[in-house]
Amino acid sequence: MADEDRNVDDGRARPETELPTRIDPTKPSISRVYDYFLGGKDNFAIDRQVGELTLTIAPDAPAAGRANRGFLKRAVHYLATEAGIRQFLDIGSGLPTQGNVHEIAQAAAPDARVVYVDNDPIVLAHGRALLARNGSTTVIQADLRRPEELLSHPDLRALIDFDQPVALLLFAILHHLNDHEEPGGIAARLRAALPDGSYLALSHFHNPGEELPEVSAQAYSAEKLFNEHLGTGRWRTREEILAYFGDFELLEPGLVPVAAWRADPDEPVEQGITYHTFVGGVARKP
């Protein structure tokens, strides 16, 4: 296997024969494409090819990935400090990177418990290695499209007490569910499992429509690319995304570009073409 087609872990190239089971290095992975955009090393040539194709449509796509990570950090910090949340359920967590949920939450509240969920086996392998000595954090392999199985997973239940408030994190995941997979129904089932006082934080690809026609055209092009090469990717309207919050109460500033959610006023915000096509918000279950 050529060097560029090897996965890199702890500074050592890992040949295909040493990869975790059920990983096909000839097929792109959403998690690994994001990893590439964030400057990570846990990706294959096919993931980088899809990433480079994306850059032809949205040259600032890596900035969008960084903005989403920044939103995650600010939201989790708020939830652990001001909101007093001690339980975090991160679905579609992706590959470990700098500033993981457990690092942010447990720096603010050492007793915080975190469960990561992903359906990519390489995420499971890396997550378990990272968390080998952390008894209050775990990673499980489960599919968002089967919420009942996910919610009943014994490892999740061992750490998350659904009689106490939970922060449900759905960062950059619902837009990878096609309409026929009923993401609205899945979001509703997950919301229903949360007790009062819980929070939902999510980010999602966004198509602003006639309000920003040039940005809307870019969103349609990106959606076409994603569906041709990754199989999933929906840039939804503001109304469609707001519906995922159900009757939860949106916190200020509402559903906004991820880079703008409670951003540090002294921190410059990159406003490329993807600025309006990646939005997020945090809401509380009353």
Side-chain angles (χ1 to χ4, degrees):
M1 188 177 230
D3 285 346
E4 68 171 2
D5 289 330
R6 291 180 180 178
N7 192 36
V8 177
D9 184 19
D10 297 330
R12 181 178 67 89
R14 178 188 290 176
E16 183 177 355
T17 54
E18 294 182 34
L19 293 173
T21 58
R22 301 192 303 279
I23 294 175
D24 185 349
T26 68
K27 294 182 179 180
S29 155
I30 292 165
S31 295
R32 297 194 304 266
V33 172
Y34 282 145
D35 177 72
Y36 171 65
F37 282 148
L38 290 169
K41 297 179 179 180
D42 295 308
N43 48 75
F44 299 114
I46 188 64
D47 306 305
R48 298 189 286 277
Q49 289 169 18
V50 172
E52 291 300 320
L53 279 172
T54 303
L55 292 175
T56 65
I57 296 172
D60 64 335
R66 292 191 297 271
N68 187 54
R69 292 300 299 185
F71 168 50
L72 178 150
K73 292 175 184 178
R74 296 190 301 276
V76 170
H77 180 76
Y78 165 82
L79 292 167
T81 55
E82 296 184 48
I85 295 297
R86 295 294 179 267
Q87 303 186 110
F88 294 81
L89 176 56
D90 184 5
I91 302 178
S93 56
L95 284 160
T97 188
Q98 190 174 21
N100 295 291
V101 170
H102 73 282
E103 294 169 331
I104 301 162
Q106 291 168 2
D111 58 337
R113 301 186 300 280
V114 180
V115 174
Y116 293 108
V117 182
D118 207 287
N119 66 352
D120 187 334
I122 202 169
V123 172
L124 187 72
H126 280 262
R128 286 183 172 168
L130 176 69
L131 301 170
R133 298 182 180 179
N134 189 324
S136 57
T137 307
T138 192
V139 55
I140 66 171
Q141 187 173 4
D143 196 322
L144 175 62
R145 291 167 293 189
R146 295 193 287 275
E148 299 297 340
E149 291 181 21
L150 188 160
L151 290 168
S152 63
H153 194 289
D155 291 345
L156 184 155
R157 290 285 172 171
L159 279 183
I160 301 295
D161 177 3
F162 283 96
D163 289 328
Q164 300 296 324
V166 177
L168 171 63
L169 311 179
L170 297 173
F171 291 103
I173 182 64
L174 290 174
H175 54 228
H176 291 302
L177 295 183
N178 290 309
D179 293 347
H180 73 271
E181 293 173 305
E182 300 185 356
I186 291 171
R189 175 64 190 92
L190 295 173
R191 290 196 312 270
L194 303 178
D196 294 348
S198 294
Y199 288 80
L200 167 60
L202 68 81
S203 60
H204 197 291
F205 290 158
H206 171 236
N207 189 323
E210 295 180 0
E211 181 181 348
L212 295 168
E214 181 182 352
V215 176
S216 179
Q218 184 269 343
Y220 279 120
S221 297
E223 183 169 289
K224 183 174 185 291
L225 175 70
F226 261 67
N227 283 279
E228 286 176 352
H229 295 278
L230 279 175
T232 58
R234 284 281 286 112
W235 275 247
R236 294 188 167 97
T237 66
R238 178 178 181 82
E239 291 69 27
E240 288 175 312
I241 299 168
L242 283 171
Y244 294 136
F245 291 102
D247 61 356
F248 284 24
E249 299 171 347
L250 266 175
L251 307 184
E252 292 293 337
L255 184 67
V256 297
V258 291
W261 195 90
R262 303 197 179 187
D264 184 339
D266 297 325
E267 189 174 310
V269 175
E270 301 175 69
Q271 291 201 27
I273 197 166
T274 62
Y275 177 79
H276 292 285
T277 62
F278 210 167
V279 298
V282 179
R284 182 180 184 273
K285 185 171 185 175

